[in-house]
Amino acid sequence: MRQLSRIQESAAPNESTPIHEQFTPLCERALRSDGTIGVKIIKPGWGTSGYYGKAMLERDVPRVFPAGTQMFWNHDTAMEEAERPEGDLSRLAAVTVSSPIWLENGAKGPGMYADVRPFAGYAEAIDEIGEHIGVSIRA
């Protein structure tokens, strides 16, 4: 990501909270000249399954969502997941190309940010509707 700074904060070694789902708007509408976009993966605070503190996010998100993490166009429904637990590669929309880092003053406020490369077929759609959609994690 452009001119990023990393803020270190120590966390208790056994402090861990599973991340289930979170929605965060995309950082940019337009694709950069290198074909990537900046994405805020998650922000601190209350999510759908618990509280996510800054220290826990900084420590765990880069390990859980490293560079190379696949990003799908949408979540499977419960029925789709039961019928096809391996998922559907036709909905593979992007991949992270950097490990997430903490940005205190990121484009969409404090949180964990990463660079993402959308795949052909999805890049144009993301470029067009990016300001109206976001990232929803499920882990």
Side-chain angles (χ1 to χ4, degrees):
M1 299 184 89
R2 295 177 232 156
Q3 300 177 347
L4 301 181
S5 62
R6 183 173 172 101
I7 300 170
Q8 294 292 332
E9 183 173 306
S10 62
N14 293 327
E15 181 185 317
S16 179
T17 303
I19 299 171
H20 295 285
E21 288 190 14
Q22 182 84 22
F23 173 82
T24 306
L26 294 181
C27 298
E28 300 179 13
R29 176 182 177 267
L31 295 171
R32 298 177 187 141
S33 60
D34 67 356
T36 65
I37 58 172
V39 172
K40 182 176 180 183
I41 303 291
I42 190 170
K43 65 182 179 179
W46 286 99
T48 56
S49 62
Y51 183 79
Y52 307 114
K54 175 185 173 186
M56 187 273 298
L57 294 176
E58 264 192 298
R59 184 191 67 234
D60 295 341
V61 170
R63 179 177 48 82
V64 176
F65 299 102
T69 299
Q70 295 176 338
M71 301 179 75
F72 289 83
W73 191 246
N74 53 29
H75 293 296
D76 287 335
T77 65
M79 182 178 285
E80 289 169 332
E81 192 170 316
E83 291 176 352
R84 192 175 186 166
E86 71 277 11
D88 183 353
L89 286 178
S90 68
R91 292 184 295 123
L92 180 58
V95 64
T96 60
V97 294
S98 70
S99 290
I101 64 168
W102 177 264
L103 291 179
E104 191 67 39
N105 297 308
K108 295 290 182 179
M112 297 298 296
Y113 288 79
D115 289 330
V116 170
R117 183 176 52 86
F119 295 127
Y122 289 99
E124 188 175 305
I126 291 169
D127 195 40
E128 181 179 347
I129 65 174
E131 66 186 301
H132 304 289
I133 63 171
V135 173
S136 176
I137 64 169
R138 185 172 172 192

